[in-house]
Amino acid sequence: MRKLFIRTLALALCLTGTAQALRAQETTAAQTAAAADQRPKTINEMRQERGLTDTHNLFVPKGQWIFGGTASYSTHTNKGYQFLVIEGINSKGYTFRVSPMIAYAFRDNMALGGRFIYSRTLLKLDNAELHFGNEETGTNIVARDFYSLKQTYSAAAIWRQYIPLGRNKRFALFNEMSLAAGGTQARFANDSPVKGTYETGYTLSLGISPGIVAFATNNMAVEVNVGVMGISYTHTKQVHNQVTVGKRNTSMMNFKVNIFSIGLGMAFYL
C-alpha cells in the first residue's frame, strides 16, 4: 500500500508540473502576441491589409503578356457655317490618333512595357469672317486660304499596377505611370501669295493615368483611363518664310483631370 501511495503521489506531482509548464507557455505566447500588436506595423503589413499585395487577389498573373492600344479618327466639314461671331466658315479637316501598347507582367498584378503614340491633324480653312459690332462701325476680320498640318509622335516606358475589386475576376482598377519623349512637326500657310511657317520640336513628359479594366472574354478586355497628373517640357523651333527664326520653351505641371486625355481601348492578355 505504501508503494502504491508513493507512486500515486509522484504521478500527481508530475501532472501538476506539466500543467504549470503549459500555462507558462500560454502566458508567454499571449505576451508575445500583445507585444506584436503594440509595435508599429510595417509598410508591407499595411499593404497586405489593404489587399494590394495579397496573392489571393490575383488578377494578372506573373508571366502574362499584354497587347493593346487605342485609336481614334474624326473628320469635319463646314459650308457657310456660323458660330457665335464667326460667319461664313468654309473648312474641312481630320484628326487621327493611334497608341499601341505592349507590356509584360514581371510579378502578379504588376507589368512593365512600352507605348507608342502618333497623331496627325489637318485643317484647311477656305474662308471665315469675324464680326464685332454693326456693319458700319464694327470691326471685321477675314481669314482665307489657311492651311495647317501637325504631326506628333512619342515613345513611352510604362509601369502598371492592377488593383482587383475584391475577389472579382472580371473588373479591376489600374494605375499607369509613363515616362515619354517625342517630337512634333507642323506646317502653316495662308494668304496669296503664300506665306508659310514650319515648326519642329520635342517633348519630355511624366504622367499618371488611372483607369478601369473589364474582361469581355478570358483574354480580351476593355480599358478606360484618364490623365490626372503630368509634368512636361516642350521646346519648339519656328521658321517663317524660310527667313525669320523663333523659339519657344514651355513647361507645365498639371494636377487636375484632363478630359482630353480620356482613352478607350482594347487589350489582349496572353
Side-chain angles (χ1 to χ4, degrees):
M1 293 294 295
R2 181 178 297 178
K3 292 182 178 180
L4 179 61
F5 175 76
I6 293 174
R7 290 178 181 177
T8 303
L9 181 61
L11 179 61
L13 292 175
C14 291
L15 291 176
T16 303
T18 303
Q20 291 178 352
L22 291 175
R23 282 196 293 269
Q25 290 179 356
E26 292 177 355
T27 302
T28 303
Q31 292 175 352
T32 303
D37 293 337
Q38 293 177 358
R39 68 174 176 80
K41 296 180 180 179
T42 64
I43 294 178
N44 288 332
E45 289 175 344
M46 291 187 289
R47 286 176 178 172
Q48 289 177 356
E49 290 181 355
R50 292 201 305 268
L52 297 184
T53 58
D54 189 355
T55 57
H56 296 290
N57 294 346
L58 179 61
F59 193 77
V60 178
K62 178 181 177 181
Q64 194 163 59
W65 284 94
I66 306 168
F67 302 90
T70 61
S72 62
Y73 180 74
S74 63
T75 63
H76 73 270
T77 302
N78 299 310
K79 292 184 179 180
Y81 184 73
Q82 180 175 346
F83 179 74
L84 298 178
V85 295
I86 306 176
E87 300 178 358
I89 303 175
N90 296 310
S91 66
K92 61 181 179 179
Y94 66 82
T95 299
F96 171 74
R97 186 177 186 272
V98 62
S99 176
M101 179 267 293
I102 182 173
Y104 176 77
F106 66 97
R107 60 179 297 184
D108 292 343
N109 297 335
M110 284 190 186
L112 285 174
R115 181 185 295 275
F116 179 77
I117 305 169
Y118 173 78
S119 66
R120 180 185 177 96
T121 302
L122 173 67
L123 172 63
K124 291 183 178 180
L125 179 65
D126 296 329
N127 183 76
E129 298 180 4
L130 184 63
H131 297 280
F132 295 99
N134 53 44
E135 296 182 355
E136 297 181 356
T137 60
T139 301
N140 299 331
I141 301 176
V142 180
R144 290 189 177 91
D145 302 322
F146 179 79
Y147 172 90
S148 172
L149 176 63
K150 184 176 182 180
Q151 301 181 84
T152 63
Y153 48 90
S154 62
I158 63 172
W159 172 83
R160 274 191 175 193
Q161 181 177 22
Y162 294 85
I163 305 174
L165 299 176
R167 304 294 179 179
N168 198 302
K169 298 298 183 180
R170 187 174 295 273
F171 298 95
L173 302 175
F174 71 87
N175 180 44
E176 180 177 309
M177 295 184 63
S178 62
L179 177 62
T184 61
Q185 292 182 349
R187 294 196 298 266
F188 307 94
N190 66 331
D191 291 340
S192 180
V194 177
K195 297 179 181 178
T197 302
Y198 180 72
E199 283 187 358
T200 58
Y202 62 87
T203 301
L204 302 174
S205 63
L206 174 66
I208 299 178
S209 301
I212 186 170
V213 56
F215 273 89
T217 67
N218 193 43
N219 299 106
M220 184 183 70
V222 179
E223 297 182 352
V224 179
N225 66 335
V226 59
V228 297
M229 189 183 77
I231 302 173
S232 64
Y233 173 80
T234 303
H235 171 79
T236 304
K237 179 180 179 181
Q238 185 183 80
V239 180
H240 182 65
N241 285 341
Q242 297 183 354
V243 176
T244 307
V245 177
K247 295 181 180 180
R248 182 178 72 249
N249 296 317
T250 59
S251 59
M252 180 182 66
M253 181 177 293
N254 182 21
F255 291 95
K256 62 182 180 181
V257 175
N258 184 4
I259 61 174
F260 297 104
S261 67
I262 296 177
L264 174 64
M266 302 291 295
F268 297 90
Y269 292 75
L270 305 176

